[in-house]
Amino acid sequence: MPDLSLELRLRYQGYELVAGVDEAGRGPLAGPVVSAAVILPPGLSGTESWLGLLDDSKVLSPSRRQRAMDAVQQHALAVGVGQANAEEIDDIGIGQATIAAMMRAVAELTVRPAHLLLDFVHLRECSLPFQAIVRGDSVSYSIAAASNVAKVTRDALMREADAIYPGYSFAKNKGYPTAHHRARLRELGPCSIHRHSFAPVREAARLWGTV
């Protein structure tokens, strides 16, 4: 379970406002990569009941993730969200697109953080001091908060995409390479939010003669 150890250590060092940053959607074949940045209010003790809702979004149920996001939206000092779409991912690669989405999320914060805590992504160029934490979303409440905001936001975008691009079951698979998604990709061909730089999409595009 996450806690506030990293945040409290940084605040002891003089970094009063710490933003946790995380992403959702590095691995899917379709849709954007979405990042979130969250600054929790200074002065938290770690015993606040709503903090108990926070954990790595990958281990939570959809309803628990929504409750976690609702709590973050209610209690956080600031929340920012950024994304990079499939076209940008194809242009610059998923690694650089993830960093771009993260920096956009930080830029959307209404309060400037003094330090960033990241879920194991190294920012090559960043004007703020940062620390990349292995499995950070299971270690830090700030990163866990960002993890849930990013995941819930991206899932909502993929449900919207399902209505626009029927047949791929985006509402269910969220663009991830499930067996059903890969089969439908071969049967229907790629749509405009598929990542053509990813091998299964590239192969389906060849089958359909769209490359």
Side-chain angles (χ1 to χ4, degrees), residues 92-204:
I92 64 176
I94 186 59
Q96 287 300 312
T98 298
I99 291 172
M102 286 183 162
M103 291 296 90
R104 288 165 190 161
V106 173
E108 286 295 313
L109 291 168
T110 55
V111 180
R112 181 175 172 82
H115 198 288
L116 305 180
L117 289 173
L118 311 167
D119 187 24
F120 201 58
V121 173
H122 184 80
L123 304 178
R124 295 177 180 84
E125 297 180 5
C126 182
S127 61
L128 296 169
F130 68 89
Q131 186 176 356
I133 310 298
V134 177
R135 296 192 65 214
D137 46 9
S138 63
V139 174
S140 157
Y141 273 138
S142 296
I143 301 176
S147 172
N148 280 278
V149 172
K151 175 63 173 168
V152 172
T153 301
R154 187 180 186 279
D155 284 358
L157 290 173
M158 294 309 294
R159 287 193 295 271
E160 293 173 6
D162 189 52
I164 300 170
Y165 306 100
Y168 301 99
S169 297
F170 288 147
K172 183 176 181 179
N173 60 47
K174 309 303 187 292
Y176 282 89
T178 63
H180 178 266
H181 183 190
R182 292 173 68 129
R184 297 299 285 167
L185 183 59
R186 291 188 296 270
E187 293 166 9
L188 300 174
C191 71
S192 63
I193 66 165
H194 274 106
R195 304 173 181 179
H196 288 257
S197 56
F198 283 40
V201 180
R202 192 165 57 244
E203 293 166 5

Side-chain angles (χ1 to χ4, degrees), residues 43-118:
L44 291 176
S45 67
T47 61
E48 291 79 2
S49 59
W50 66 272
L51 289 173
L53 294 170
L54 304 180
D55 203 345
D56 174 2
S57 63
K58 295 184 292 295
V59 305
L60 300 181
S61 66
S63 61
R64 174 75 178 274
R65 284 195 294 265
Q66 184 64 58
R67 289 175 61 204
M69 179 171 172
D70 292 344
V72 171
Q73 296 284 12
Q74 179 181 353
H75 295 284
L77 183 64
V79 177
V81 175
Q83 63 176 285
N85 64 21
E87 183 177 2
E88 186 172 7
I89 292 168
D90 288 340
D91 286 344
I92 64 176
I94 186 59
Q96 287 300 312
T98 298
I99 291 172
M102 286 183 162
M103 291 296 90
R104 288 165 190 161
V106 173
E108 286 295 313
L109 291 168
T110 55
V111 180
R112 181 175 172 82
H115 198 288
L116 305 180
L117 289 173
L118 311 167

